[in-house]
């Protein structure tokens, strides 16, 4: 593709990152989604299942499947929320805490490797551009514009 679009670069980069994390996670019989879930759960106080999906940007069916797998592997346990009988809190087991630390280490390795290969200015610009894209999307400021594309 001669002139790559912004969304093409974002998608291709995210797919490469996801593939990298999934390849690493496979060494531990896990997935990137599992690692991300481990990092999204509160280490000590549990996390309401209802807040996990939005926190991870995951659809309910995918999240349910991921949590079921994590529970079967002994990474998490579910307990009734003592403050809301309708709700469930998800807690990390000791095994889950170990795997959470492994996930954290891998995320930090990735971040460190990127920082070793790009300047602070480049990273700052990348973060600013990503933030601006997220703002435009959150503000629904992309497709409701009356401007014509040239």
């Amino acid at each position: 593709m001669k002139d790559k679009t912004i969304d093409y670069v974002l998608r291709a980069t995210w797919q490469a990152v996801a593939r990298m994390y999934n390849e690493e996670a496979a060494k531990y019989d896990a997935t990137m989604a599992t690692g991300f879930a481990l990092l999204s759960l509160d280490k000590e106080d549990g996390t309401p299942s209802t807040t996990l999906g939005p926190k991870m940007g995951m659809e309910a069916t995918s999240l349910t499947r991921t949590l079921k797998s994590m529970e079967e592997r002994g990474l998490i346990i579910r307990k009734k929320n003592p403050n809301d009988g309708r709700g469930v809190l998800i807690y990390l087991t000791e095994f889950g805490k170990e795997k959470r630390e492994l996930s954290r280490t891998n995320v930090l390795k990735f971040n460190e490797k990127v920082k070793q290969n790009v300047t602070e200015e480049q990273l700052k610009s990348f973060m600013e551009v990503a933030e601006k894209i997220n703002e435009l999307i959150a503000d629904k400021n992309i497709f409701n514009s009356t401007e014509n594309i040239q």
Side-chain angles (χ1 to χ4, degrees):
M1 190 175 203
K2 184 181 173 198
D3 294 322
K4 293 178 182 170
T5 61
I6 295 164
D7 65 313
Y8 173 87
V9 172
L10 288 170
R11 186 174 52 252
T13 302
W14 175 247
Q15 287 173 344
V17 169
R19 191 171 34 258
M20 173 197 68
Y21 277 133
N22 274 316
E23 286 173 5
E24 187 62 24
K27 296 175 186 175
Y28 306 96
D29 193 32
T31 64
M32 182 185 76
T34 301
F36 194 29
L38 289 169
L39 292 169
S40 299
L41 292 168
D42 186 286
K43 272 197 319 194
E44 304 302 329
D45 298 327
T47 303
S49 57
T50 54
T51 65
L52 202 51
K55 192 177 194 179
M56 294 178 58
M58 232 177 171
E59 296 295 326
T61 52
S62 297
L63 180 61
T64 300
R65 198 170 32 252
T66 298
L67 293 175
K68 183 174 190 264
S69 168
M70 291 173 71
E71 194 169 28
E72 288 169 355
R73 293 188 56 221
L75 296 166
I76 60 167
I77 55 171
R78 300 176 204 225
K79 295 181 182 177
K80 283 228 179 258
N81 187 336
N83 301 323
D84 178 1
R86 300 166 296 167
V88 173
L89 292 175
I90 301 167
Y91 291 87
L92 292 167
T93 63
E94 285 307 312
F95 181 56
K97 289 176 185 178
E98 288 174 27
K99 294 301 181 183
R100 181 185 196 277
E101 191 56 35
L102 180 63
S103 295
R104 182 179 171 280
T105 299
N106 285 329
V107 168
L108 293 175
K109 277 184 192 175
F110 170 71
N111 277 265
E112 190 55 39
K113 186 58 84 172
V114 171
K115 288 177 181 179
Q116 289 171 1
N117 287 275
V118 299
T119 66
E120 276 188 52
E121 186 177 319
Q122 288 172 317
L123 191 55
K124 183 177 182 236
S125 294
F126 170 77
M127 295 295 197
E128 289 170 350
V129 170
E131 187 176 325
K132 179 53 74 177
I133 290 170
N134 281 314
E135 284 175 16
L136 290 168
I137 293 167
D139 293 344
K140 302 199 181 304
N141 205 8
I142 306 279
F143 296 114
N144 64 357
S145 173
T146 56
E147 300 168 16
N148 289 326
I149 297 173
Q150 299 299 320

